[in-house]
Amino acid sequence: MSLVGPAPLPPGTPGADAPWRQLVKPGMTGLAQVRRDSALPWDEPLLLDQHYVEHHGMGLDAELLLRTPAALLRAARRPKR
């Protein structure tokens, strides 16, 4: 497992066997985690994970690592359902 990458999925989950998932290690944070509460129409985690795999690099990784603490704080402040 790496710091940044697509979220690990249990076997049998839709998208878990996608060929692009095998190109990078799963990560503890990623686009799907940082942009989960975004108002943008791009809210599908699998699409965000695939976008990360296709465009990953040191710059994107650094941006995601810097944005992760704010995303965690937003999630902690969100009312429980």
Side-chain angles (χ1 to χ4, degrees):
M1 182 167 283
S2 64
L3 285 175
V4 182
L9 296 175
T13 304
D17 58 350
W20 52 265
R21 280 196 172 274
Q22 311 310 314
L23 299 175
V24 296
K25 291 181 182 178
M28 294 171 47
T29 189
L31 275 175
Q33 291 75 28
V34 171
R35 295 179 67 173
R36 187 170 309 268
D37 293 332
S38 173
L40 296 173
W42 238 32
D43 61 353
E44 178 65 42
L46 283 176
L47 289 176
L48 291 169
D49 285 345
Q50 184 175 7
H51 179 80
Y52 172 80
V53 170
E54 293 172 354
H55 298 95
H56 74 281
M58 289 180 63
L60 180 57
D61 286 359
E63 178 185 347
L64 292 172
L65 286 171
L66 290 173
R67 290 176 57 188
T68 296
L72 288 172
L73 289 174
R74 279 192 310 271
R77 292 182 183 154
R78 190 175 330 133
K80 303 290 181 200
R81 295 180 194 189

